[in-house]
Amino acid sequence: MTGVAVSARVDAAAATQGRPVRPLCRRALDLAGPGDGRLALDLGCGRGVEASAMLAEGWRVWALDRAPGAGELVRAGVAGAERLTVVRGALQDVELPAAELVHASYSLPFLPPADFGPVWQRVRGSLAPGGLLAVTLFGAGDTRHDRTDLTLLGRRQARELFLGLEVLAFDDRAAEGTRAGGGSEGPGRVFEVIARRMR
Ligand SMILES: C[S@@+](CC[C@H](N)C(=O)[O-])C[C@H]1O[C@@H](n2cnc3c(N)ncnc32)[C@H](O)[C@@H]1O
């Protein structure tokens, strides 16, 4: 067996066993019901843990990430991998297909603020009627920040992103590692939101 094949197998195991599926994605999958061949997007898919969970629920999965090799890891060892399309590219550049489930955990906040709005329009535009959107966003909290590499939103700004959608969950919690009293330049809050496009 070649070194590449061994490494692909080990990586596939890591992709599925390295950590549990994110609760946000799990909730969205439970709300959406069986995939039955419908299309789900995983934007900023990382190693592909959530993409694997989507495949296991019967979805076709279109996974996007700009990192070399991201998402590819699930191809090797996951049942249903023939229903997976991995696209390597930036959220800013790639057209998104219409989908019944659009998931983006811990990826959209890494857009620079100038890029967030146009990408958000495309993310919303990709949602098929009746489709579910499940995203993590970062909140600035009470902390002052001058980050130009992250999009940090006020709570009201975050809520406004979902105008016109039915918001099923809007969880707002302190970001891990945030010190009491602020002072951090990172996100103060994490918003996890699930919303549905009306039919
Ligand atoms: C913190 S990881 C999250 C990965 C996975 N979704 C999770 O929940 O663990 C952020 C991922 O988003 C990807 N990413 C960040 N900005 C991106 C962009 N502009 N276009 C495409 N992928 C991006 C990174 O390469 C990385 O894999």
Side-chain angles (χ1 to χ4, degrees), residues 6-75:
V6 169
S7 130
R9 198 184 60 213
V10 170
D11 282 344
T16 52
Q17 295 166 18
R19 62 164 172 78
V21 174
R22 297 234 182 251
L24 175 73
C25 180
R26 187 72 264 158
R27 256 167 110 179
L29 286 171
D30 290 347
L31 282 165
D36 284 340
R38 293 179 293 166
L39 185 66
L41 310 188
D42 191 12
L43 305 178
C45 61
R47 296 194 301 168
V49 176
E50 282 66 41
S52 302
M54 292 167 173
L55 292 171
E57 299 282 337
W59 293 83
R60 284 182 299 122
V61 179
W62 187 95
L64 173 73
D65 204 293
R66 66 181 174 189
E72 293 283 348
L73 304 177
V74 284
R75 274 194 209 278

Side-chain angles (χ1 to χ4, degrees), residues 81-199:
E82 70 282 356
R83 286 181 271 111
L84 172 69
T85 302
V86 178
V87 176
R88 185 175 163 206
L91 286 157
Q92 292 92 323
D93 300 333
V94 178
E95 290 298 315
L96 306 179
E100 302 279 344
L101 174 61
V102 180
H103 167 261
S105 273
Y106 295 93
S107 53
L108 300 176
F110 293 98
L111 289 162
D115 293 345
F116 184 87
V119 170
W120 182 252
Q121 289 312 315
R122 294 222 308 281
V123 169
R124 278 197 57 156
S126 70
L127 207 51
L132 282 181
L133 177 60
V135 296
T136 308
L137 301 168
F138 287 168
D142 297 331
T143 61
R144 290 171 63 90
H145 69 89
D146 54 7
R147 299 286 298 250
T148 54
D149 56 337
L150 289 181
T151 295
L152 301 177
L153 304 163
R155 186 182 161 88
R156 181 188 289 182
Q157 269 181 307
R159 294 285 318 196
E160 284 175 357
L161 293 174
F162 300 90
L163 286 176
L165 300 176
E166 179 191 5
V167 176
L168 304 177
F170 190 104
D171 294 344
D172 173 353
R173 58 183 160 75
E176 277 173 30
T178 302
R179 287 169 299 184
S184 161
E185 285 201 348
R189 313 291 305 172
V190 174
F191 305 124
E192 297 211 303
V193 189
I194 300 179
R196 192 191 325 261
R197 181 176 163 187
M198 319 288 181
R199 287 193 183 277

